[in-house]
Amino acid sequence: FFGKFNEPSMLPFYEPTETEQAEGDATVATVNESCHQYIFPDRIDSEQLLSPEVMQELGDLSILGMTLDQSSGGAGVSHFNFCRVMETIGSHCGSTAAAVNLASTAIAALATFGSEQQKETWLPKLIAGEISASLAVTETLGGVCTDRLRTTAKTTDSGFVIDGEKRWVSNAPIAELIIVLAATPDND
């Protein structure tokens, strides 16, 4: 936008249907109650670790992968209500909200780009909160800009050879699955 507000592209803001609003209200109330029961921000921040029990509870609440359609194992919740849920979690514990957002992004990446075998193997466990995932994106020169990825994945007879390095991987200490974003120059 180059600093210019383009009103037609921004307004009117999204308005949920009455049903969507009511479903979101119920979900937000349940998540808020669970945050008070299961998420202890001081402990999470002092230990610098989100416990597997927290991820399990979020899975039990259908928070992880909640925007995926039901045929993929998600709850089919709108992005509008997902944002409301994230606001609720974030108002209770920013660290947990960041971890949930990252896990949800990894789940969406797997659902979009994973093979059928990968989806069958990993999605149910990730959505249930049985395991956690992360994305390896950040690179030294490009940050998180996916257009500037220098890490490459080249196809071989047995899969891929990944060449490159990542600056860090958020959620890595709790992730059982790390999805590496890499350019595939031979697949352009």
Side-chain angles (χ1 to χ4, degrees):
F1 295 106
F2 301 105
K4 296 179 184 167
F5 182 68
N6 185 349
E7 186 173 332
S9 69
M10 303 292 247
L11 300 173
F13 290 116
Y14 176 80
E15 289 291 329
T17 65
E18 285 184 30
T19 302
E20 183 183 4
Q21 183 71 41
E23 289 172 353
D25 291 347
T27 301
V28 165
T30 300
V31 169
N32 188 46
E33 184 178 312
S34 290
C35 283
H36 291 286
Q37 287 181 320
Y38 298 101
I39 300 174
F40 305 103
D42 292 340
R43 189 175 94 200
I44 291 168
D45 288 346
S46 68
E47 294 176 3
Q48 298 180 354
L49 192 64
L50 192 64
S51 73
E53 293 80 22
V54 170
M55 295 305 280
Q56 181 71 55
E57 176 62 19
L58 294 167
D60 290 347
L61 292 171
S62 301
I63 302 301
L64 305 170
M66 71 188 306
T67 59
L68 295 182
D69 57 49
Q70 292 177 342
S71 65
S72 297
V77 171
S78 69
H79 282 78
F80 174 78
N81 278 327
F82 175 70
C83 288
R84 294 177 64 206
V85 166
M86 292 304 296
E87 286 176 344
T88 302
I89 296 169
S91 69
H92 188 74
C93 177
S95 298
T96 302
V100 169
N101 191 49
L102 187 58
S104 296
T105 303
I107 289 168
L110 177 62
T112 304
F113 301 109
S115 69
E116 289 307 311
Q117 180 183 359
Q118 290 168 333
K119 292 176 193 180
E120 288 174 16
T121 301
W122 297 105
L123 279 179
K125 294 175 186 175
L126 291 166
I127 291 170
E130 294 171 14
I131 62 170
S132 294
S134 187
L135 287 173
V137 182
T138 309
E139 295 185 353
T140 302
L141 297 175
V144 295
C145 181
T146 56
D147 287 346
R148 299 178 127 194
L149 288 175
R150 293 184 186 253
T151 300
T152 59
K154 295 185 180 169
T155 35
T156 67
D157 291 339
S158 60
F160 289 94
V161 172
I162 296 176
D163 184 24
E165 66 181 58
K166 299 299 180 179
R167 188 84 169 137
W168 65 77
V169 179
S170 299
N171 269 13
I174 63 168
E176 287 90 350
L177 174 66
I178 297 177
I179 298 171
V180 179
L181 270 63
T184 52
D186 56 339
N187 294 333
D188 284 343

